[in-house]
Structure formats: structure tokens, C-alpha cells
Amino acid sequence: MTHGVSECHGFAIIEYGQLKRLFCSDEEEGIRNIRNPSEEEKRLGFCLPKDTDEMWEHWEDDTMTKINEEIIVELAIEQSGIDGSKYPYDDVLAGVFK
């Protein structure tokens, strides 16, 4: 999920009803980062902050990935193999459902 106007971006990976990974950055609620980075995050070279303090600590040195709409779409493509970038943001649903 991503919403640029309110600066809320995040994703969840759930397999067979079990949470495998969750990351959400919300300008009002801060960062929620649960479980270890996914293989897809590692392949893309993403380094998402563990919390809001870590994000601000590394904001200027570019060691952390700054999450935005493009990061979410890129991760969704890598995770699912579905190229959601060719669809309008407001109608994108990318995923593999079993």
C-alpha cells in the first residue's frame, strides 16, 4: 500500500495466514518494521530503517532506503513477478495468492 499525499507507504508479506514480513512508514505513526528483510528486499539492495529514530539518524548519509511509491511498486514487482508499474497507482493490486 502506498499513498503519497499522506506519506504512508508499506507492505506486508503473508503466507498461509502467517505474517512473514511487515514494513510501514507513516508520517504520523512512524515506522513499523516486523521480521527480517525479505530476499526480495536484499536483491533490490533495500536497507529499510528499523524505526523512526534510525531513519532520521541516517537521513542525510543515504545508508537507509527512503521509502516512497516507487520503492513499493519495485518491491511488489520483485515479490510477485507482476509488473504493477504499467497500471495506475490507484488501481494496482500486485500479489501472488495461493
Side-chain angles (χ1 to χ4, degrees):
M1 58 91 177
T2 185
H3 194 274
V5 175
S6 64
E7 292 305 324
C8 180
H9 313 287
F11 64 91
I13 300 171
I14 300 168
E15 294 178 358
Y16 303 106
Q18 298 295 314
L19 178 67
K20 298 295 182 182
R21 175 77 169 113
L22 178 127
F23 183 89
C24 184
S25 175
D26 180 284
E27 67 183 345
E28 296 202 15
E29 299 293 323
I31 290 176
R32 280 171 263 153
N33 189 337
I34 301 173
R35 307 273 195 289
N36 294 324
S38 67
E39 291 303 313
E40 292 79 14
E41 288 173 74
K42 294 175 189 173
R43 278 198 299 272
L44 292 168
F46 293 167
C47 182
L48 299 174
K50 292 180 180 68
D51 54 37
T52 306
D53 290 339
E54 185 176 56
M55 177 190 72
W56 288 118
E57 180 181 330
H58 294 282
W59 190 259
E60 296 297 324
D61 64 20
D62 290 328
T63 57
M64 294 281 119
T65 302
K66 293 179 178 85
I67 195 159
N68 56 35
E69 293 92 344
E70 287 77 25
I71 295 297
I72 294 298
V73 171
E74 192 175 349
L75 186 57
I77 292 167
E78 184 72 20
Q79 176 72 29
S80 67
I82 298 168
D83 187 356
S85 66
K86 61 185 173 186
Y87 302 102
Y89 279 126
D90 58 352
D91 295 324
V92 172
L93 177 60
V96 176
F97 302 97
K98 298 176 183 178

